[in-house]
Amino acid sequence: MSAAGEPPLDGAGTTRATCVLAPNPGLMTLNGTNTWVIAEPGSAATVVVDPGPDDEAHLRRVAGLAEAAGRRVARILLTHGHPDHAEGAARFAALTGAPVLAADPALRLGDEGLAPGDVLTAAGCEIRVVATPGHTADSVCLLLPADGALLTGDTVLGRGTTVIAHDGSLGDYLRTLDDLRALADEAGLRVLLPGHGPLLSDPAGVLDYYIAHRRERLDQVRVAVAAGARTPAEVVAIVYADVDRSLWPAAELSVRAQLDYLGA
Ligand SMILES: [Zn+2]
């Protein structure tokens, strides 16, 4: 499924990263979860990032694509623990025999984790782990320096903006956005590969927009609170008046995080 005017997501990517789109489209998942398959051209191994939901057909398709390319799945990495990214990891590990690496020890299968600053060499590629708490406490982004690409999970989405989950923190998220904006220059990022929605070919521009959008929303929440709004629902009705009502429950999550941040 692809929105009008967008190139298809399935099969999109960079020299070393290819999207396999999971069949779980929705309000929060956009086109569906982007499972990323990473390999150096000519490598006999591959790394799979975010196997996605526990959908047997999708997991078998990802495994089959690796096999058809003559590659063994060497590692499975998770950007964070939300089910639309991580639920299928155990089944995918069973299908492929690969270990699961995650920042959250509870999600790992095997001895390896994903710690900030870790540099993995797998499938002939260097992959650097960047801690990006905010959307969730356990969120990481994965830098693929050879492609100038950053796999962003749900920290930056291909369309719209990210929700701060119950276990996330807006303060952390704002710091993360500033860190990623600096990384965009330092690492010469050319593309963001999100967990949902299309590739983003202007990383610095996208991050500038995210940062400006967060500041603007925070200012709006301050104004709504000053005007007497008290509950998250009251704030949403004012600040998100121009947004489709089907998105208000998600907006309420964000507003909760904003009110926490403002100490209201
Ligand atoms: Zn998520």
Side-chain angles (χ1 to χ4, degrees):
M1 182 177 125
S2 171
E6 275 174 13
L9 256 168
D10 198 64
T14 63
T15 303
R16 294 165 182 82
T18 305
C19 176
V20 185
L21 181 63
N24 60 336
L27 268 180
M28 303 295 288
T29 56
L30 306 179
N31 313 60
T33 299
N34 298 336
T35 295
W36 291 99
V37 179
I38 298 172
E40 188 70 21
S43 170
T46 189
V47 170
V48 171
V49 177
D50 289 350
D54 194 1
D55 180 295
E56 187 72 11
H58 173 65
L59 299 175
R60 285 188 179 276
R61 192 161 82 92
V62 176
L65 286 168
E67 200 176 323
R71 289 176 174 143
R72 146 190 90 80
V73 178
R75 282 174 169 133
I76 302 160
L77 312 184
L78 299 178
T79 59
H80 65 299
H82 279 167
D84 55 322
H85 298 258
E87 185 189 56
R91 176 63 186 147
F92 192 65
L95 283 172
T96 59
V100 178
L101 286 67
D104 181 353
L107 299 170
R108 295 175 192 161
L109 288 173
D111 303 329
E112 285 180 287
L114 289 180
D118 276 0
V119 181
L120 313 173
T121 305
C125 287
E126 182 187 303
I127 300 172
R128 290 190 209 164
V129 180
V130 183
T132 54
H135 169 68
T136 61
D138 71 336
S139 287
V140 297
C141 291
L142 300 164
L143 176 63
L144 199 55
D147 282 354
L150 185 73
L151 288 87
T152 57
D154 282 359
T155 298
V156 177
L157 299 179
R159 258 201 316 281
T161 55
T162 293
V163 166
I164 308 297
H166 287 292
D167 62 333
S169 147
L170 182 58
D172 286 348
Y173 189 65
L174 293 170
R175 277 187 291 279
T176 281
L177 290 179
D178 286 341
D179 290 350
L180 290 182
R181 181 62 186 84
L183 183 71
D185 290 339
E186 285 161 23
L189 290 183
R190 297 191 295 276
V191 64
L192 301 179
L193 308 177
H196 304 280
L199 286 67
L200 299 162
S201 58
D202 177 16
V206 167
L207 289 162
D208 284 341
Y209 167 75
Y210 263 63
I211 291 165
H213 172 80
R214 285 291 158 184
R215 291 209 182 108
E216 191 187 338
R217 284 292 191 219
L218 267 175
D219 286 344
Q220 291 170 332
V221 170
R222 278 193 194 98
V223 169
V225 169
R230 286 293 170 264
T231 66
E234 286 168 6
V235 173
V236 167
I238 296 171
V239 173
Y240 291 80
D242 59 336
V243 170
D244 192 292
R245 277 183 182 242
S246 63
L247 295 170
W248 280 18
E252 208 171 306
L253 269 181
S254 285
V255 165
R256 244 173 242 284
Q258 285 160 329
L259 290 173
D260 284 348
Y261 178 76
L262 293 171

